[in-house]
Amino acid sequence: HGAKGLEWQVVLVCGLEEGTFPSQHAALPEAMEEERRLAYVAVTRAKRTLVLSHSHRRYGRAARQSRFIAEALCAPGGSAAA
């Protein structure tokens, strides 16, 4: 939690694929909520620009976009860049 209270002009959050973030080990609801809290901290550190990225393929396999991307875009003030 070293980012608590800190903000940066630009924040990049990479690896937003199901099984990566959230982790494949977050099977229990409590673990998923902890991953969600970590995602929230990450996306709320941006003052000006937030970049969320995901891969279509990881380790040679198709990857699904993380549920956290949709949650971030649906949150108040969330919007996608054109």
Side-chain angles (χ1 to χ4, degrees):
H1 296 283
K4 184 173 180 148
L6 298 176
E7 291 184 325
W8 291 273
Q9 292 296 317
V10 179
V11 172
L12 294 95
V13 184
C14 305
L16 285 166
E17 298 99 35
E18 291 293 319
T20 302
F21 195 30
S23 169
Q24 62 186 351
H25 303 291
L28 298 174
E30 299 83 18
M32 184 58 71
E33 285 307 309
E34 179 61 20
E35 295 274 304
R36 186 170 278 109
R37 281 190 288 276
L38 291 171
Y40 176 82
V41 169
V43 302
T44 58
R45 299 305 98 186
K47 285 184 179 180
R48 182 175 45 89
T49 304
L50 171 65
V51 178
L52 306 175
S53 78
H54 68 93
S55 175
H56 292 281
R57 297 188 69 75
R58 184 165 296 276
Y59 306 116
R61 296 184 173 171
R64 287 184 308 138
Q65 175 178 299
S66 172
R67 66 192 80 188
F68 297 154
I69 293 176
E71 291 174 9
L73 294 176
C74 292
S79 65

